[in-house]
Amino acid sequence: MDELLDDLLKKIENGTYPPGSQLPSGRALADSYDVSQSTISRAVARLRHQGVLVGRPGRGVFVAEPGAH
């Protein structure tokens, strides 16, 4: 899972997923990384805990705006 976290963080840092943008669905991420959805869920939960991502109920998971955490 560390490689997955590193790659997601790189994509956030390089602007693939800029602040305020919505991440692809868990299913889409699982397919693109060839991992289970539960692995994606754990990675997203860790990044949410770190303040990198924010969940918006009924809308999805988004990259946190700078200074929002």
Side-chain angles (χ1 to χ4, degrees), residues 5 37 58:
L5 288 168
Q37 287 187 43

Side-chain angles (χ1 to χ4, degrees), residues 20-66:
S21 68
Q22 184 175 11
L23 255 57
S25 70
R27 180 173 299 196
L29 287 172
D31 288 346
S32 68
Y33 285 100
D34 196 28
V35 297
S36 70
Q37 287 187 43
S38 64
T39 299
I40 295 295
S41 294
R42 286 194 307 272
V44 167
R46 188 177 294 179
L47 293 175
R48 286 178 65 183
H49 181 74
Q50 294 173 2
V52 175
L53 300 175
V54 294
R56 297 186 185 154
R59 296 193 55 215
V61 178
F62 294 77
V63 177
E65 297 285 349

Side-chain angles (χ1 to χ4, degrees), residues 8-19 21 63:
L8 285 172
L9 285 170
K10 284 179 192 172
K11 288 183 176 181
I12 291 167
E13 290 169 1
N14 73 19
T16 300
Y17 302 130
S21 68
V63 177

